[in-house]
Amino acid sequence: CPTTGQKLEPYEEVVVDVDTEYSGTVVNALTGSRKGVLVEMVDDAQGKARLKFEIPSRGLLGFGPEIATATRGTAVMHHMYLEDREYAGPIGQGSDRGKLVCNEMGKATLFALESLQARGTLFVAPGEMVYPGMVIGENAKSGDLEVNPVRAKATNNMRTQAKDEKLYLTPPKKFSIEELIGYMSEDEVIEVTPQSVRLRKSELDSGVRERAARSRKKQMDASKAKGGKK
């Protein structure tokens, strides 16, 4: 705000009509990391609930597709600008989710992806071009994990039943740009080309990323220690 110097952001009023059985899902989705506040909840005799929220506009990024899936398409959402309010701070769960980060350049192989799918959810399919720093999946555990999705199967003259078994791969998860905006972490950017939409680390060099992560951890530890002494 030019007058007070306070950092402001737009807030919206959101009204969601949904089956009562999914009302808890909608409340949890909007009042958690998205920083929404439930201001009204009304149930009717037909098994429907009307939920009214006040939420920062950026908290709605990626919410539509997410809630449509969670409520099996039963949710209907309307939203409109309310007013500018004090900045709500960091929003989104992206920073809490570990990612599978590519460390080699080339085409992703079925052999490599089949072994990687046990570590999380994949975003790429065999044959897709990948490069160091590109996010190719979500880690099942917290923290980022460097992986090699272009690793090829070793070739030799020995044949065994185990090696000759067919490989099966779950179809990769695909995101729209809106979904990626709501999903990405603070150290990531979206790369948009006529052929594809990719998520990657803003710093492609893994060594630089590791040093930056250690620096952030030291700063956080120092801040916590300082706060504990007060």
Side-chain angles (χ1 to χ4, degrees), residues 106-109 113 123-130 134 150 172 174 196 198:
K107 288 186 177 181
T109 65
L113 294 179
F123 302 159
V124 297
E128 288 189 35
M129 287 298 300
V130 295
M134 177 178 167
V150 304
K174 296 298 183 181
S196 62
R198 300 187 181 102

Side-chain angles (χ1 to χ4, degrees), residues 86-157:
E86 184 178 355
Y87 178 68
I91 280 180
Q93 299 178 340
S95 59
D96 297 329
R97 299 173 179 176
K99 307 292 174 57
L100 299 178
V101 184
C102 178
N103 60 10
E104 293 289 343
M105 178 172 289
K107 288 186 177 181
T109 65
L110 174 61
F111 177 74
L113 294 179
E114 196 276 336
S115 62
L116 290 177
Q117 68 179 349
R119 296 181 177 272
T121 303
L122 297 177
F123 302 159
V124 297
E128 288 189 35
M129 287 298 300
V130 295
Y131 56 85
M134 177 178 167
V135 175
I136 66 154
E138 180 178 311
N139 192 2
K141 299 180 180 180
S142 60
D144 293 340
L145 179 65
E146 298 273 336
V147 297
N148 180 4
V150 304
R151 181 166 55 92
K153 183 178 181 180
T155 56
N156 55 51
N157 294 326

